Amino acid sequence: MRLDRWVFIRLAIAGLVGAALFPFAVYYVGLAVAPSRPMPAQTPVPPLIADALWARADGGRATGFTPITHVSMAQFVACIAVEDFKDTTPGDARRVAACQRYQPGILGVEYLSTVHMRDANLQPSFREGLARLSTTIWLTHSWTKADFLSTLAERGEVGSGFRGVEAAAQGYFGRAAAQLTLPQAALIGAFMGDRRVDPWCDPESAAVMRRRILERMRDNLVIDDAAVQAANVSELGLGAAPANHAPCRN
């Protein structure tokens, strides 16, 4: 009986050690099969665009990232589970936003990792998923909020036809990103990583998306209620559609 007890204890200890080390093994294997790690962009993003992009990334009021660790992910998942139990509405955007204090900006960082995988021509696969997971974790440990925002502004896909906020600002409004007004910056923030709405064909849906970003910016304390109301009732102010723009369907 004593021998059996010690065997059980050793197996239990080995199991606990293995469980503790397994995430680290997955992380380092993911980095090994991932493309070269992304380098942050060097051009700072205009402050108004930065605030809109941080709102889009569900960054909340955080001034930086919370590195992904066993503890932070356990807190995040537990919070999501509690919110999921309390909220029966479809989708998880509200639940994630409610728990953003544990992993601020996680949606935006995961999106940027996805863009990095696509730029490296990695197709969806087990390797791509593992590489994306490890790259996302690495980014939260290695980059600052400013690194993330400037890189997202430079490399993110805005709407269906623009790469980066400078191209989007010119394409949608015919001006530089630094010259955008609050409602224009919020619209570009809303379209970051989202191709579902064409603002020239569906301005009502575009205005709804813009309002959501404006409200998140207000919740993040970077604008006030008066600014939200004024921006929300303003026209989209779009320029002419690009020459290659597909005709709108009635």
Side-chain angles (χ1 to χ4, degrees):
M1 290 295 294
R2 180 174 298 178
L3 178 62
D4 292 342
R5 187 181 300 115
W6 277 110
V7 169
F8 174 78
I9 292 173
R10 288 170 181 170
L11 287 175
I13 293 173
L16 290 173
V17 172
L21 294 179
F22 179 73
F24 293 100
V26 171
Y27 171 66
Y28 286 110
V29 169
L31 287 183
V33 301
S36 57
R37 296 169 200 174
M39 296 294 293
Q42 299 302 308
T43 303
V45 61
L48 204 56
I49 291 287
D51 289 335
L53 293 180
W54 190 242
R56 169 68 173 144
D58 272 336
R61 301 176 191 176
T63 58
F65 292 126
T66 297
I68 295 177
T69 63
H70 291 72
V71 174
S72 66
M73 281 307 298
Q75 292 174 319
F76 184 63
V77 170
C79 180
I80 292 289
V82 171
E83 291 295 325
D84 188 54
F85 178 78
K86 295 189 297 183
D87 179 21
T88 59
T89 57
D92 61 358
R94 196 203 68 78
R95 291 181 281 257
V96 172
C99 301
Q100 63 192 194
R101 63 188 181 277
Y102 295 114
Q103 289 294 171
I106 188 64
L107 295 181
V109 179
E110 199 276 338
Y111 167 72
L112 193 59
S113 295
T114 300
V115 171
H116 184 61
M117 298 302 119
R118 287 205 297 262
D119 287 345
N121 296 317
L122 279 187
Q123 299 301 314
S125 62
F126 178 78
R127 176 198 171 187
E128 186 271 343
L130 187 59
R132 176 160 41 87
L133 172 65
S134 294
T135 300
T136 300
I137 296 172
W138 178 83
L139 285 172
T140 66
H141 286 264
S142 305
W143 281 17
T144 64
K145 177 181 174 181
D147 290 335
F148 163 69
L149 292 173
S150 61
T151 307
L152 184 62
E154 179 180 277
R155 302 170 196 167
E157 299 158 338
V158 185
S160 59
F162 303 107
R163 186 73 183 266
V165 299
E166 282 295 343
Q170 292 293 342
Y172 287 128
F173 305 111
R175 60 176 61 183
Q179 298 174 328
L180 295 181
T181 63
L182 171 60
Q184 291 170 339
L187 187 65
I188 284 186
F191 285 157
M192 177 60 69
D194 196 319
R195 303 182 179 185
R196 295 173 296 175
V197 173
D198 183 331
W200 285 285
C201 298
D202 190 359
E204 292 82 8
S205 295
V208 169
M209 295 173 65
R210 181 183 67 178
R211 187 189 72 237
R212 290 172 183 160
I213 296 300
L214 289 167
E215 290 172 349
R216 291 183 192 177
M217 293 173 72
R218 177 197 58 203
D219 294 342
N220 294 349
L221 303 181
V222 296
I223 59 176
D224 57 19
D225 284 331
V228 172
Q229 294 172 7
N232 195 41
V233 299
S234 67
E235 299 290 334
L236 292 184
L238 298 172
N244 61 352
H245 183 265
C248 297
R249 299 178 181 178
N250 295 327

